[in-house]
Each structure stands twice: as structure tokens, then as C-alpha cells.
Amino acid sequence: MRKLLFLLFPLLLTLIFVSTSPVPINAGSLAPEAAADYDPVAELRLPDGSTPNPNSDVRAVTAYGQYAHLLTRNGKLFTFDLASLLASLPAPGDPLETFGDPAGSLDLAGFGAGILRNGTLAYVYGRNGVMVVKEINTAAPLAGATFSERNTYNLIQYERALIGVGPDHVTIYGLDDPENPVEQNNYNLNGSTGFSATVLQGQTLLVGQFVGSTGDMSGISVFEYNYPTANYLTAYEGNIPYHLHASDDTAVACSGNVLELWDFTYPDDATIRDSWQASARVCARDGNNLIANGTVLQVRPDLSLIHISEPT
């Protein structure tokens, strides 16, 4: 099965990768090389003059159907029509197809930190809070309601909730009406700044954080989670997890120079089962595969990491 995997390289371009492996991947039955067939097939380029630093201002990308949406640091959402790419994916080794002429754009000043898709809706977030964007299945998305004014660095969806993190806060929003999420609870991080989050097995909330103006810890805070509440349990001091990716009772923490595989079977006594030195500020998970700045690793059944390939 061929599918598109979007990876964002903030200092370069947004690249689109194709995987020929089914998902989820059974790491115990597939040979490593069979589980990591990724090849770049296209790139999205910002129009000249669209942002002060086009090679570093790309913040996030999401897609629905034939449309890909690229968000810049200054809060500009560009929409690209990928119909020609989807109609005929190039073979590995073919020249990359370049998309540099957006089908449309939307000004979202103050919401340039990231974007999270939920069906045909998306939520953009940044220093001005969190806003709904409608009709991302078209070439002309529409700005919707701003439902939070909290400075938000990252936002995830877990079942019927959105969980946002930012300077000294973890905030849970209810999704009974996806077009109008409602804040349910808010918790402080003792002065630290939340940078990433994930939920394990529906009952453990992890928050990656770094020292803020008054904070005293970088690492992972652990909360007992039972929507719509979360109760602080413990914290593990260490690297700054720019990304957290959960699977069962494990989580992969991706920092600037190392990728760590954590075992949270016992949340108050978690352990690092394996780690890999790599630049992982750009990090995605595809089944049991981890892609960190183009380096592909695989989580094995014994909770070890195995190196698969490097970017070409």
C-alpha cells in the first residue's frame, strides 16, 4: 500500500515522503528493510516575498485529500493542490516534483506555531491562542472562532478532547462541538513551558517541558488522566522533548540531539529502555518506525531501537 507521509524540515523545505509499507507495521514479523521504504517525492516551496525568512519560517503542514496546507511563523496558511502528484506518484529516484504556486492563502496573524487537523476542520495555534479553520478539504479554507486566548506551543487531540500546552499551562478542551471547543480544565507547570504532549492508554498524560522564566525543570511531567481532569503524578528531569509519540505503554521523546524510548508501564517509576543519538527536533512516527530528520529507526518488540536507514 502506498501512502503519503508529510515531514517538515523547518530549516529547509517541506518534503513529502511515500511509504510502501502497510500500517500498523508488525515489527516482529517484518525484516527491518521491508518496514522502512521511504523516498522523497515532492517539495513545497513558499512564494517569494511571502515571509521574511522563507527557508526558516515554515512551522507546520497538514493535508486533506488533494490539498496540503503549510503554515508559516508569521501566521500565513498556504494551500497547495497536489492532484497531479496523487494521480501519478513518481518512482524512487525520479526528480522531485516542486510545488511553488499555492492555490490560495489565509492570513492568521498570531497563530503561527502549528496546525492540527480534525476531519475537514483544523486548529491553528500560537501566541494569540487557538482558532478553528474550516473547509480544509478545499482550496480556500475559512477562519472560524478563536476559542482560547492562551499562548499555545503545541496541541494534540485524544478522543473527545484537545490538550494544549504552552508557557506554564496544560489546558484540556472538550470536543462535543468540534467547531466550538470549550475549556474544561487548566493546570500550571510550576513556571516551566509545555512544549509537547501525548496520552498513554487513555489514562496517563505526558507533557514535555523546558525551563521558563521561573521554571525549574526540563523533561517530562506525568499526570493521571481521566477526561476532563488530570492530576499531577511525578516528573522526570532531562532533555527537552520537542515531540512525544505514544504507543501502548511506551513513548518516544524526541529532543535536539537524542531520541529516547521510554517505558511507562509504571508511570511513577518509568525507565528509558533505549536511546539513539540523532537530531530529532523534526520527528514523526509511522507504526513502529521513527523518522528523525530523515534518519529511520524502528522500535522492536523487546523495546529496543534499531537503525534502518539514513536520508539520501
Side-chain angles (χ1 to χ4, degrees):
M1 180 179 70
R2 307 189 81 191
K3 62 187 182 64
L4 289 180
L5 172 66
F6 288 78
L7 290 184
L8 183 64
F9 290 77
L11 298 180
L12 297 172
L13 300 165
T14 299
L15 298 182
I16 305 167
F17 286 75
V18 59
S19 169
T20 58
S21 301
V23 175
I25 297 166
N26 183 340
S29 63
L30 287 180
E33 57 272 16
D37 187 9
Y38 299 95
D39 295 292
V41 295
E43 61 185 10
L44 309 182
R45 290 183 179 271
L46 293 176
D48 291 340
S50 60
T51 185
N53 301 291
N55 289 332
S56 61
D57 282 350
V58 175
R59 299 297 292 175
V61 63
T62 192
Y64 190 101
Q66 71 189 61
Y67 297 104
H69 308 281
L70 189 152
L71 182 69
T72 67
R73 187 190 302 268
N74 58 353
K76 191 91 166 182
L77 188 68
F78 292 95
T79 298
F80 294 83
D81 188 341
L82 306 184
S84 63
L85 175 67
L86 297 174
S88 179
L89 290 175
D94 283 355
L96 296 184
E97 185 170 352
T98 298
F99 293 85
D101 186 16
S105 64
L106 183 64
D107 287 319
L108 302 167
F111 298 91
I115 184 169
L116 173 69
R117 185 174 70 82
N118 180 11
T120 60
L121 299 176
Y123 308 109
V124 292
Y125 49 92
R127 67 178 184 274
N128 285 359
V130 191
M131 175 192 288
V132 176
V133 176
K134 303 177 182 180
E135 298 183 19
I136 65 164
N137 57 327
T138 72
L142 302 172
T146 298
F147 61 89
S148 172
E149 295 183 353
R150 297 184 186 276
N151 187 355
T152 301
Y153 284 10
N154 208 339
L155 186 74
I156 66 168
Q157 180 180 351
Y158 186 80
E159 295 180 344
R160 55 181 174 152
L162 294 175
I163 301 173
V165 295
D168 200 26
H169 80 89
V170 181
T171 306
I172 299 172
Y173 306 92
L175 277 179
D176 290 341
D177 179 359
E179 291 192 16
N180 295 282
V182 176
E183 181 174 320
Q184 302 294 316
N185 278 296
N186 172 262
Y187 306 92
N188 69 55
L189 293 172
N190 297 318
S192 294
T193 294
F195 209 80
S196 57
T198 194
V199 177
L200 301 174
Q201 302 282 56
Q203 57 190 12
T204 303
L205 168 63
L206 307 180
V207 175
Q209 63 194 65
F210 64 92
V211 174
S213 58
T214 60
D216 58 2
M217 193 206 83
S218 293
I220 300 174
S221 285
V222 183
F223 294 79
E224 293 179 327
Y225 178 72
N226 183 18
Y227 176 83
T229 63
N231 297 306
Y232 176 80
L233 180 62
T234 189
Y236 298 95
E237 190 167 359
N239 296 299
I240 302 171
Y242 293 101
H243 304 273
L244 286 166
H245 297 291
S247 178
D248 298 326
D249 287 318
T250 68
V252 174
C254 305
S255 71
N257 57 9
V258 65
L259 189 149
E260 297 171 332
L261 178 60
W262 286 76
D263 184 350
F264 282 94
T265 301
Y266 304 101
D268 57 352
D269 190 25
T271 58
I272 298 175
R273 296 293 296 270
D274 203 355
S275 63
W276 196 275
Q277 294 295 316
S279 176
R281 290 197 63 167
V282 178
C283 184
R285 185 163 190 164
D286 181 29
N288 291 325
N289 289 344
L290 305 168
I291 306 95
N293 274 27
T295 297
V296 181
L297 305 171
Q298 187 179 89
V299 180
R300 305 300 285 176
D302 63 355
L303 297 186
S304 64
L305 297 173
I306 184 173
H307 179 262
I308 303 298
S309 65
E310 292 292 328
T312 55

